[in-house]
Amino acid sequence: MELQIDDSVLVKNYIQGDEKALEVLINRHNQKISSFIYSKVLDKDITEDIFQDTFIKVIKTLKRGSYSEEGKFLPWVMRIAHNLIIDHFRKNKRMPKFEGSDDFNIFSVIHDDKLNAEKQMIKNQIDSDLSVLIDELPDDQREVLIMRIYKDMSFKEISENTGVSINTALGRMRYALINLRKIVERNNIVLTN
Amino acid sequence: MEKIYSEEPKVCRIASAKPETVQFLLGFSKSLKVINYDNMQFETVLN
C-alpha cells in the first residue's frame, strides 16, 4: 500500500524548502485542476496557461509565507484558478470593438486584402499558366527561378544548393525573367488580374 | 428515416497539464527567492 502524505504536510515541507514536496502536490492535483479549467475555457492551450499562472501564484504566496494552513490546499488552488478563469474572460471581453458612424466608416481605412471569388479564379488561372511558361525555360534558369520565387531562397542559398557562384545564379535569374517576358510577348499572353 | 446526429455528444474531457509545464513550474519555484527586509518583501528570480 502506498503511503500518501497529507497536503498540509507537503505544503509545510515546501515552505521549509523541500522542493520535492511541490512536485508531489502539482502531480497529485494536476488532473483535477486542469480538468476544472478545461471545463470552463474549453481550450487546451488556454488551460495550460491558466494552470501555469495558477501555480505561479501558489508558489509566490507560499514562498512569501502568506498562506495560512487550514487543511484546504486544493480548494484554495481551485479558487485561484477560478479567479484567473474569470480574469481571462474579462480580458477577452475588453477587446476593443469599433463600430463605424455615419461620417466615418472604419472600412474605408481597413479593408479585406483577400481576393473575391472571381479574382481568385483568375489568379489561379494565371498561376497555372505561368507554371506552364516556366516549364519552357532552360533547366538551369528554371531551377534558379523556382528556388528564388517559389521556395523563397536567397541567392546565397541558391548558389550553395546548385553549386554555382552567386553571380551566376543572379545571371540565370535575369535571363529567366527576360526569357519569360519574351515568351509572353511572342504568344500575346495576358497575365494580369 | 435514419436519424442524423450532427451534434457531437458532450463528453467529459479529462485534461492534464503537460510535463513541460510542470517542469517549468518546478524550475520557477527553485529559482524564486523571497527576501524579507524591514517589513518589505523582495522577489528575486535567479537564472
Side-chain angles (χ1 to χ4, degrees):
Chain A
M1 201 181 86
E2 206 183 315
L3 188 78
Q4 197 169 26
I5 311 165
D6 212 50
D7 280 356
S8 56
V9 179
L10 287 168
V11 169
K12 209 174 100 191
N13 289 350
Y14 175 64
I15 293 170
Q16 283 165 358
D18 179 9
E19 295 286 338
K20 194 86 187 140
L22 180 74
E23 194 177 344
V24 179
L25 281 170
I26 293 178
N27 288 330
R28 182 180 290 173
H29 301 302
N30 184 342
Q31 214 172 70
K32 266 186 207 159
I33 297 164
S34 298
S35 301
F36 168 70
I37 301 168
Y38 186 82
S39 72
K40 301 282 179 278
V41 298
L42 300 174
D43 182 296
K44 274 199 166 171
D45 293 329
I46 297 168
T47 302
E48 206 85 14
D49 282 355
I50 296 179
F51 180 87
Q52 188 173 304
D53 289 348
T54 305
F55 270 95
I56 286 178
K57 278 206 166 170
V58 168
I59 291 166
K60 281 187 177 172
T61 313
L62 292 179
K63 290 232 170 180
R64 275 201 212 114
S66 29
Y67 172 72
S68 63
E69 179 57 58
E70 291 167 11
K72 288 177 185 169
F73 177 73
L74 183 62
W76 172 61
V77 179
M78 288 291 218
R79 174 50 61 179
I80 295 175
H82 178 257
N83 290 342
L84 287 172
I85 293 166
I86 292 173
D87 286 352
H88 161 75
F89 283 116
R90 270 200 200 125
K91 200 164 61 193
N92 278 7
K93 216 178 159 188
R94 250 191 278 133
M95 283 279 277
K97 236 190 231 172
F98 185 84
E99 279 160 26
S101 57
D102 289 342
D103 52 350
F104 175 73
N105 186 0
I106 188 71
F107 294 111
S108 61
V109 188
I110 301 167
H111 51 87
D112 189 1
D113 285 332
K114 270 191 207 144
L115 298 170
N116 62 26
E118 188 193 352
K119 288 197 169 164
Q120 185 61 48
M121 280 170 82
I122 296 172
K123 186 179 179 296
N124 292 346
Q125 186 64 52
I126 291 170
D127 287 350
S128 71
D129 286 348
L130 200 56
S131 70
V132 175
L133 296 184
I134 290 167
D135 281 339
E136 298 289 316
L137 291 173
D139 285 353
D140 52 357
Q141 292 172 18
R142 186 177 62 235
E143 187 184 40
V144 172
L145 185 129
I146 288 174
M147 284 181 174
R148 182 71 198 109
I149 306 293
Y150 289 95
K151 297 184 184 165
D152 203 23
M153 291 161 78
S154 66
F155 280 105
K156 189 165 176 282
E157 288 166 335
I158 294 171
S159 81
E160 280 163 4
N161 265 277
T162 52
V164 297
S165 70
I166 292 182
N167 277 332
T168 310
L170 281 164
R172 284 179 183 173
M173 183 70 195
R174 190 174 117 83
Y175 278 109
L177 293 177
I178 290 171
N179 285 332
L180 268 183
R181 284 200 189 100
K182 272 187 194 160
I183 301 170
V184 169
E185 272 172 32
R186 203 185 307 137
N187 297 294
N188 286 327
I189 301 166
V190 182
L191 290 174
T192 45
N193 202 337
Chain B
M1 214 172 105
E2 207 176 329
K3 276 189 177 177
I4 300 166
Y5 298 97
S6 55
E7 211 171 290
E8 255 186 60
K10 276 186 184 162
V11 195
C12 177
R13 294 270 304 263
I14 294 174
S16 170
K18 285 185 206 149
E20 291 94 318
T21 311
V22 177
Q23 274 312 312
F24 165 80
L25 287 166
L26 296 174
F28 172 75
S29 161
K30 275 181 197 148
S31 67
L32 180 74
K33 286 247 165 353
V34 176
I35 300 154
N36 289 309
Y37 179 80
D38 263 7
N39 296 329
M40 288 184 282
Q41 283 192 325
F42 298 96
E43 283 173 11
T44 51
V45 179
L46 306 166
N47 269 318

